[in-house]
Amino acid sequence: MKLSEFKFDLPEALVAQHPTKNRDESRLMVLHRSTGKIEHRVFKDIIEYFEDGDVMVVNDTKVFPARLYGNKEKTGAQIEVFLLRELNKEIHLWDVLVDPARKIRVGNKLYFGESDMVAEVIDNTTSRGRTIKFLFDGSDEEFYKALHDLGETPIPKEFILRDTEAADKERYQTIYAKNTGAVAAPSAGLHFTREVMKRLEIKGVDMAPVTLHVGLGTFRPVDVEDLTKHKMDSENFVVPAGTATIVNRALDNKKRVCAIGTTSMRAMESSVSANARLKPTEGWTDRFIFPPYDFKIANCLLTNFHTPESTLMMMSAAFAGYDFLIEAYKLAIKEKYRFFSYGDAMLIL
């Protein structure tokens, strides 16, 4: 397929700038692939679509406060430093993005607030990318605490056009977040509340965790018309043995296996055995899913409404069927559904 097939006009007013007051009161559009029916519900109604023995596969990655602000030595110019991934724990070497990048060269030092944290630029990686080494005297625990205190919640400022607020620390995180390592939230999971999860548990629905540490590549624009030429950034993921067992039992019993978010789907599709079952895995995935695609594990997907030409929209189209998804997106715009990380949800059955 071509990139231009995923272009549509998204009114700016429909990109959610804040979450709904209550997580489970966002809207839920339900797509029935077998009949072509579309329903308009509220997220807490999701319970009605699942029964005993069904499985929801959730991504338990935890967002860390990846956006820091430092000052350049001598000039004092403010520089945004966005932490992407830790390259070497022993010497505090990190892969980062800097802004404005034109001011930052190899050898420059950055100072962070009133803290003792200093970083030196070691290498250029991309136009905005740098490798930096934090110069810090203290234990690992003290280092990570200092980073946590200095950093702010990394809401994606390309689409959420406001400053980070105190509430984002809690709301830009799923309630089941556990394993720190993401720089963006797995947004489909943001709608779950403890009450919804408890009611699903009472119904006999299993919650099975995978971990995929969402990177900024999730939002990286596709800049090639021929989608077969696009390369995804690699993301670290884990499929635990217990999750594989739960999912495979559900598949054997012809039950629903629902990927909660595109990141959970990517993790599962990157960990398929020869007999089309989920296998325990730990590693990296750069799998890019777009139509047409034969999904091996999940038979249900919960996702948000995504921005035009995004890889997340492409995966949703691969699962729903391209024409059905485009129809649903047109309806979503007409009905004023909210898009992006803090927006509404879509359940594809």
Side-chain angles (χ1 to χ4, degrees):
M1 293 200 79
K2 304 296 183 191
L3 175 64
S4 51
E5 294 178 82
F6 294 91
K7 190 179 181 74
F8 65 94
D9 291 325
L10 175 60
E12 200 173 285
L14 295 187
V15 178
Q17 299 298 306
H18 291 87
T20 51
K21 184 179 178 185
N22 298 310
R23 289 176 185 263
D24 59 7
E25 289 176 359
S26 48
R27 295 166 76 189
L28 177 69
M29 182 185 282
V30 184
L31 275 59
H32 297 265
R33 292 180 295 172
S34 59
T35 62
K37 180 182 175 185
I38 295 177
E39 295 180 272
H40 303 287
R41 307 295 296 269
V42 176
F43 185 78
K44 61 177 70 169
D45 298 337
I46 195 170
I47 297 152
E48 297 175 23
Y49 297 92
F50 293 88
E51 58 185 34
D52 185 31
D54 289 341
V55 177
M56 289 184 170
V57 180
V58 298
N59 183 4
D60 67 4
T61 188
K62 190 172 188 177
V63 179
F64 66 93
R67 184 178 280 117
L68 282 67
Y69 293 95
N71 296 96
K72 189 179 171 185
E73 63 177 338
K74 295 178 183 171
T75 68
Q78 187 181 73
I79 306 294
E80 179 183 303
V81 177
F82 197 103
L83 304 175
L84 292 177
R85 61 181 66 86
E86 190 173 35
L87 301 173
N88 186 311
K89 188 171 183 175
E90 289 179 14
I91 60 172
H92 303 314
L93 203 65
W94 284 74
D95 191 11
V96 304
L97 297 176
V98 294
D99 186 34
R102 59 188 160 72
K103 294 188 176 182
I104 298 299
R105 296 183 172 86
V106 173
N108 287 160
K109 283 193 173 72
L110 297 168
Y111 295 82
F112 295 90
E114 302 299 313
S115 71
D116 296 328
M117 188 76 80
V118 181
E120 183 177 358
V121 181
I122 303 297
D123 194 13
N124 295 331
T125 51
T126 63
S127 59
R128 284 183 60 209
R130 301 289 186 271
T131 301
I132 67 171
K133 178 181 179 180
F134 285 101
L135 311 173
F136 184 81
D137 291 326
S139 67
D140 283 351
E141 188 179 341
E142 289 168 331
F143 171 73
Y144 293 117
K145 184 182 185 307
L147 274 191
H148 198 277
D149 291 345
L150 287 167
E152 68 175 37
T153 304
I155 59 170
K157 291 193 171 179
E158 299 88 338
F159 302 104
I160 298 178
L161 309 175
R162 61 170 174 80
D163 290 338
T164 302
E165 298 169 4
D168 291 315
K169 188 172 183 180
E170 182 221 343
R171 293 302 301 271
Y172 195 63
Q173 194 86 269
T174 63
I175 63 166
Y176 47 76
K178 180 181 175 187
N179 296 308
T180 302
V183 299
S187 54
L190 296 178
H191 306 282
F192 284 89
T193 58
R194 284 179 174 78
E195 184 189 0
V196 166
M197 292 186 77
K198 188 66 183 173
R199 291 176 68 191
L200 286 164
E201 181 190 334
I202 290 168
K203 271 192 112 172
V205 178
D206 282 315
M207 290 284 170
V210 296
T211 305
L212 186 141
H213 293 313
V214 190
L216 269 193
T218 293
F219 305 124
R220 187 160 65 85
V222 178
D223 54 13
V224 288
E225 177 67 3
D226 179 357
L227 297 185
T228 62
K229 292 183 166 55
H230 176 69
K231 184 157 175 38
M232 293 283 283
D233 291 356
S234 288
E235 293 169 314
N236 188 239
F237 79 103
V238 178
V239 176
T243 291
T245 299
I246 291 168
V247 167
N248 293 336
R249 183 174 63 227
L251 291 175
D252 292 342
N253 292 331
K254 305 280 192 292
K255 293 294 185 178
R256 213 160 243 172
V257 174
C258 190
I260 304 303
T262 57
T263 58
S264 298
M265 184 71 87
R266 282 186 73 213
M268 286 192 282
E269 288 299 308
S270 302
S271 191
V272 181
S273 69
N275 64 339
R277 288 295 181 265
L278 190 62
K279 63 181 181 183
T281 310
E282 186 166 348
W284 294 80
T285 179
D286 61 358
R287 185 172 292 267
F288 175 32
I289 298 174
F290 60 93
Y293 184 88
D294 179 23
F295 289 86
K296 303 294 192 300
I297 306 294
N299 47 37
C300 167
L301 172 65
L302 177 76
T303 189
N304 274 26
F305 290 90
H306 305 296
T307 51
E309 300 182 321
S310 62
T311 59
L312 308 176
M313 180 190 178
M314 292 165 193
M315 184 192 288
S316 302
F319 194 80
Y322 173 80
D323 291 337
F324 195 21
L325 188 91
I326 295 301
E327 177 193 345
Y329 268 48
K330 286 178 180 173
L331 184 58
I333 290 170
K334 181 184 172 192
E335 297 291 331
K336 293 186 166 46
Y337 275 75
R338 289 151 43 90
F339 280 66
F340 203 53
S341 300
Y342 277 149
D344 295 317
M346 172 187 281
L347 178 64
I348 308 171
L349 300 173

